[in-house]
Amino acid sequence: MHTNEHTAQIEKFIIPIGPQHPALKEPGHFEFTVDGEIVTHASVRLGYAHRGIEKGVESRNWTQNLYLLERVCGICSHVHATAYCLGVEKLAGVEAPPRAQAIRELVAELERIHSHYLWLGVTAHEAGFDTLFMYTWRDRETVMDILEAISGNRVHYSANILGGVKFDLGEKEAQTIRQGLSFLEERTHHYLEVVSQDALFLQRTRGIGVMTLAQAETIGVIGPTARASGLARDVRLDDPYAAYDRFPVPIILDDRGDLSARVVVRLKELLASIETIRHILDDLPPGELTVRVPRKIKPGEAISRVEAPRGELFYFIKSNGSEMPERIHIRTPTLCNMASVLTLAVGHHLADMPMLLAGIDPCFSCNDRGIVVQYGGDDHDHWTWERLRQFGIDHYKQLESGVF
Amino acid sequence: MTLNLPTLWHDALEKVKTWARVNSPWLIHYNSGSCNGCDIEILATLTPRYDAERFGVKLQGSPRHADVLICTGPVTLQSKERLRRIYEQMPEPKFVVAVGSCAISGGVFDGCYNVVGHIDELLPVDMYIPGCPPRPEAILDGLVKLLRSLQDGQIERLETRPLAT
């Protein structure tokens, strides 16, 4: 047995990529076993951006955590804060006023526009289509300007506070948003034309990384990746939160399941988001922006789910009645979708790997988390701060002495 | 300089080298545990609205081709060795720019168990760009200031600075 394995290892040719690599701006290590140009096995090593946020929240109070959790991810910071606020509000037994909920939805949709534009640029870059990359990022500045005009910041907008939102939208802001949106809508139609007609881009996307509906269900993908395979999964419709029951978003589905479908689904989602924002602006409910949330939250457990630009984002929040949470668990969409990359990679050319990976819109700073799995038994294992830190140090010492 | 050339010739050569360096600094970017906020702002700096290529700035894939290392985020345990390795692979002279509050002080992640510290505990940093995240204009300003101090000879050569352990 041992000798067989040994021979097999000699024949293998493994290409390591990362954690510093030109393709993505985030650290992740991949190993592709290749036979000539064809990938026969793929594996991933994550955790370069693991900072220990889930443990960190336990030593900060409820309000401070809002700012820490926004920084789980710089691209979808608003959805993280929304999920956290919705969960804490549920625990405290309060509900944010309708106007605040509508503004939450509006900012979330603006964020989706900025995230999808960013993603389109990165994907175009991976495809070797840098012109499209530069154009999309130029147009993306429009939505960044809108976000800055309404919140005062380009990236971490900090729209949410516990019990509501921080800023109101006046007529002037609404005008700015409408103007920006009509420009973006026109550009999105143009990009939709480009990605479905440009011969070069189609060669890199059509028929690449095809995931059937059955496969999508088995692997458990979520978000636009699932919707591109015809799997109707969208938290905004399945379990409406914030103001999504009042201002629903149409679901965008595609049954082709390849990379091209993922591009088209995301671009059509842009149009859907633009339309939704217009509805919200037309019909913004009047009223207060915040309700009072107590400093100490009642003991209990709550879950909240929101639809991030990449898929379902899940928060579990447990309170013990003090000023600080007892436990917060975050489940981000990228890790759910990562399995699809590793499965689909087999049989494809090595050159398709960056495109396949970009196809799920990975976000490594979201997905680098640690989990302790305990099989059987009901004795509670308690991890203290010191124990966790010591475990980390020992773990990496062990790794450093190895291959890496 | 190891070449045994007359002083005049040596000075002229140095001038040409500085001129070349100031006009085409190539960057390498490493995210050692950042939230992406700074990374996308760095990328935005290179795209048409801000257009860092006006200053000859180009993002490079390989550390061996780069002059400036742009670091974002606090340093996590796992990326610590990688960051040091990337720095060591870069040819001399090399410069380090720390972008964002986390890179400068650990920022909001200060005290998280897997964060070992900030960039200048590990590498000698030449330019700090604060902000969470800094605006693209701020990043451009930082880069231009770095280039100017390089031109004026204000930055000491790296050979004289020891690496932190």
Side-chain angles (χ1 to χ4, degrees):
Chain A
M1 186 63 199
H2 180 257
T3 34
N4 280 350
E5 258 180 26
H6 189 66
T7 351
Q9 268 177 3
I10 292 171
E11 287 163 5
K12 271 184 194 169
F13 190 78
I14 299 175
I15 296 184
I17 298 175
Q20 190 281 321
H21 47 104
L24 298 156
K25 302 300 158 219
E26 297 170 79
H29 178 84
F30 299 88
E31 279 181 3
F32 297 111
T33 311
V34 290
D35 177 15
E37 273 287 302
I38 306 295
V39 174
T40 55
H41 184 258
S43 74
V44 62
R45 182 178 163 209
L46 300 166
Y48 287 95
H50 176 71
R51 290 148 289 183
I53 293 178
E54 280 183 15
K55 194 71 186 168
V57 293
E58 292 167 22
S59 56
R60 287 160 170 83
N61 71 29
W62 293 100
T63 312
Q64 287 170 329
N65 279 335
L66 191 55
Y67 300 95
L68 178 60
L69 290 170
E70 261 185 356
R71 281 152 185 83
V72 169
C73 173
I75 302 173
C76 44
S77 71
H78 177 75
V79 287
H80 277 276
T82 309
Y84 172 72
C85 285
L86 289 172
V88 176
E89 281 159 17
K90 211 184 279 177
L91 271 181
V94 298
E95 199 174 344
R99 193 175 176 88
Q101 301 281 24
I103 293 176
R104 273 180 188 171
E105 179 179 341
L106 183 132
V107 178
E109 292 305 317
L110 281 174
E111 187 177 69
R112 198 178 312 279
I113 294 177
H114 118 72
S115 175
H116 282 1
Y117 258 99
L118 180 148
W119 170 83
L120 179 63
V122 172
T123 308
H125 175 67
E126 309 299 2
F129 196 175
D130 265 2
T131 318
L132 184 58
F133 166 51
M134 288 293 171
Y135 271 118
T136 48
W137 276 66
R138 184 199 68 181
D139 296 340
R140 181 177 163 270
E141 289 297 326
T142 313
V143 69
M144 302 305 274
D145 284 346
I146 295 177
L147 285 165
E148 194 182 357
I150 61 173
S151 75
N153 209 348
R154 280 165 57 90
V155 174
H156 295 296
Y157 340 105
S158 292
N160 284 299
I161 48 173
L162 293 177
V165 289
K166 211 177 269 177
F167 50 78
D168 198 5
L169 290 177
E171 204 39 58
K172 200 177 143 218
E173 285 88 358
Q175 193 55 35
T176 318
I177 297 175
R178 273 180 221 275
Q179 265 179 8
L181 288 185
S182 51
F183 171 71
L184 285 171
E185 191 179 26
E186 190 195 318
R187 295 303 297 174
T188 311
H189 280 297
H190 171 67
Y191 293 134
L192 205 50
E193 213 172 284
V194 170
V195 298
S196 45
Q197 284 177 10
D198 185 84
L200 180 143
F201 199 73
L202 282 179
Q203 277 186 350
R204 296 298 312 266
T205 54
R206 189 168 280 173
I208 307 285
V210 181
M211 181 162 50
T212 60
L213 180 60
Q215 262 182 319
E217 271 177 355
T218 321
I219 301 171
V221 292
I222 47 179
T225 319
R227 295 196 280 273
S229 294
L231 188 55
R233 233 177 230 178
D234 192 331
V235 186
R236 292 175 289 173
L237 296 162
D238 301 342
D239 180 15
Y241 56 95
Y244 280 103
D245 45 358
R246 187 164 175 177
F247 305 105
V249 189
I251 192 161
I252 312 287
L253 291 174
D254 201 308
D255 50 8
R256 289 175 294 151
D258 59 356
L259 272 174
S260 171
R262 281 169 222 164
V263 180
V264 170
V265 162
R266 284 199 175 90
L267 280 173
K268 285 186 177 163
E269 274 186 14
L270 280 177
L271 295 173
S273 291
I274 290 171
E275 215 35 62
T276 313
I277 294 171
R278 282 192 184 133
H279 285 157
I280 300 172
L281 285 177
D282 287 340
D283 199 12
L284 198 62
E288 290 294 311
L289 286 180
T290 50
V291 288
R292 212 180 128 67
V293 174
R295 203 159 56 91
K296 289 182 179 175
I297 306 290
K298 282 182 272 186
E301 296 176 358
I303 58 165
S304 65
R305 304 195 294 163
V306 297
E307 181 80 9
R310 292 159 184 75
E312 180 193 322
L313 174 68
F314 176 97
Y315 265 64
F316 166 80
I317 303 167
K318 187 178 179 189
S319 168
N320 54 8
S322 72
E323 283 176 31
M324 296 174 189
E326 176 153 323
R327 173 85 172 103
I328 289 184
H329 176 68
I330 311 167
R331 182 176 175 270
T332 53
T334 303
L335 204 57
C336 309
N337 288 338
M338 196 58 88
S340 75
V341 176
L342 302 182
T343 317
L344 297 176
V346 177
H348 280 87
H349 285 275
L350 188 65
D352 290 328
M353 291 306 116
M355 286 293 282
L356 264 185
L357 188 62
I360 64 159
D361 197 358
C363 173
F364 291 87
S365 64
C366 281
N367 76 13
D368 289 349
R369 297 187 310 277
I371 289 176
V372 178
V373 180
Q374 208 178 348
Y375 295 102
D378 50 345
D379 50 328
H380 291 282
D381 196 5
H382 192 69
W383 284 72
T384 59
W385 192 263
E386 288 73 32
R387 190 178 161 197
L388 202 55
R389 188 168 168 85
Q390 195 50 47
F391 176 78
I393 293 169
D394 293 344
H395 179 71
Y396 291 117
K397 270 194 183 144
Q398 203 184 327
L399 280 178
E400 274 166 26
S401 59
V403 188
F404 298 104
Chain B
M1 286 295 291
T2 46
L3 291 175
N4 191 13
L5 290 167
T7 328
L8 209 66
W9 171 235
H10 170 250
D11 285 355
L13 199 63
E14 279 299 309
K15 259 185 197 159
V16 171
K17 273 189 188 166
T18 313
W19 171 79
R21 258 168 216 152
V22 169
N23 285 296
S24 69
W26 283 8
L27 313 183
I28 183 168
H29 163 233
Y30 187 66
N31 167 346
S32 57
S34 139
C35 73
N36 283 351
C38 298
D39 310 318
I40 57 174
E41 291 297 73
I42 289 173
L43 215 53
T45 313
L46 298 161
T47 50
R49 167 83 68 95
Y50 303 100
D51 196 16
E53 280 190 37
R54 281 177 293 162
F55 305 105
V57 171
K58 190 166 176 273
L59 204 60
Q60 267 301 311
S62 165
R64 294 179 202 283
H65 297 163
D67 307 300
V68 182
L69 172 63
I70 288 207
C71 303
T72 54
V75 185
T76 64
L77 261 176
Q78 190 168 199
S79 53
K80 186 177 148 196
E81 276 312 305
R82 283 291 171 167
L83 183 62
R84 195 199 297 266
R85 217 152 111 182
I86 288 168
Y87 179 77
E88 281 167 358
Q89 283 176 355
M90 287 167 63
E92 300 270 354
K94 47 194 169 186
F95 307 97
V96 180
V97 180
V99 174
S101 308
C102 309
I104 294 173
S105 68
V108 73
F109 306 115
D110 195 27
C112 284
Y113 71 88
N114 209 34
V115 171
V116 289
H118 32 99
I119 305 287
D120 67 2
E121 286 180 6
L122 199 70
L123 307 176
V125 177
D126 297 289
M127 177 60 70
Y128 298 90
I129 304 175
C132 186
R135 295 180 56 86
E137 289 97 328
I139 299 175
L140 266 185
D141 186 45
L143 278 173
V144 170
K145 278 182 180 155
L146 177 78
L147 297 180
R148 197 172 295 148
S149 55
L150 177 62
Q151 194 166 25
D152 301 345
Q154 281 169 7
I155 291 186
E156 53 176 320
R157 299 300 293 269
L158 278 177
E159 292 90 339
T160 58
R161 286 182 298 171
L163 253 183
T165 45

